[in-house]
């Protein structure tokens, strides 16, 4: 991995990609989504502050645990632009995500535990189908297959 001298305070997109492990296209995507920012040189080349390395690491770590990009953007917006996110920043922001992750884990465990109960037909006529009809939501409104009927009504409108 190429080392960047301390006296260099800005990185090219290639240097940022090499150091962060993120593809150049991913960095462009993060920038388009407002997760990171760059300045443009007179030749219209991107230049990133060194602290962008930590921001990219923050984004990738959050993505690995399933945090949506919109939530990551909101979290990064609460951090000062002019400094590198710290361990304390990560601890504070990730704590807010803990209950969301716990709920997802609970749902995934439930899906896994009931996967063999599903026949995968999507008929929704089963009293409880964890995959197509969790908690029999549709059963509270009508009987029989409703998903196809609801789609047909939406297409008519």
């Amino acid at each position: 991995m190429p080392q960047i001298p301390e006296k260099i305070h800005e990185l090219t997109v290639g240097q940022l990609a090499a150091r962060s492990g993120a593809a150049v296209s991913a960095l462009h995507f993060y920038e388009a989504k407002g997760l990171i920012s760059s300045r443009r040189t007179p030749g219209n080349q991107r230049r990133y502050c060194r602290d962008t390395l930590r921001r990219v690491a923050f984004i990738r770590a959050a993505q690995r645990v399933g945090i949506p990009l919109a939530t990551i953007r909101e979290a990064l917006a609460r951090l000062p632009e002019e400094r590198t996110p710290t361990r304390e920043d990560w601890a504070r922001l990730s704590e807010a995500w803990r209950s969301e992750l716990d709920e997802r884990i609970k749902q995934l465990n439930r899906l896994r535990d009931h996967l063999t109960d599903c026949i995968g037909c999507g008929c929704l006529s089963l009293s409880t189908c964890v995959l197509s009809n969790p908690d029999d939501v549709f059963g509270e409104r009508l009987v029989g297959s409703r998903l196809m009927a609801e789609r047909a009504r939406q297409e008519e409108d």
Side-chain angles (χ1 to χ4, degrees), residues 25-136:
S25 59
L27 297 173
H28 290 171
F29 179 77
Y30 293 159
E31 189 170 356
K33 294 296 182 185
L35 297 163
I36 61 175
S37 61
S38 67
R39 75 168 184 85
R40 297 296 182 126
T41 67
N44 203 31
Q45 296 175 330
R46 290 176 168 92
R47 293 293 184 264
Y48 297 92
C49 293
R50 287 179 71 97
D51 69 329
T52 306
L53 275 169
R54 181 71 58 88
R55 287 182 180 270
V56 171
F58 184 99
I59 293 163
R60 295 186 65 176
Q63 282 184 298
R64 276 193 294 277
V65 296
I67 303 300
L69 285 178
T71 304
I72 297 169
R73 182 178 48 249
E74 290 169 9
L76 287 171
R78 290 185 237 141
L79 300 177
E81 270 295 318
E82 65 278 355
R83 74 165 170 78
T84 301
T86 64
R87 180 183 301 266
E88 292 77 23
D89 292 330
W90 175 257
R92 181 174 38 84
L93 294 170
S94 64
E95 181 61 34
W97 300 331
R98 185 172 296 280
S99 63
E100 181 182 335
L101 289 172
D102 288 342
E103 182 58 32
R104 279 198 219 154
I105 290 167
K106 187 172 125 185
Q107 289 173 342
L108 287 170
N109 283 330
R110 192 172 101 191
L111 286 171
R112 181 203 59 217
D113 294 345
H114 296 288
L115 187 59
T116 55
D117 297 340
C118 177
I119 57 175
C121 67
C123 71
L124 305 180
S125 62
L126 300 172
S127 61
T128 308
C129 177
V130 181
L131 300 178
S132 299
N133 189 15
D135 300 320
D136 195 23

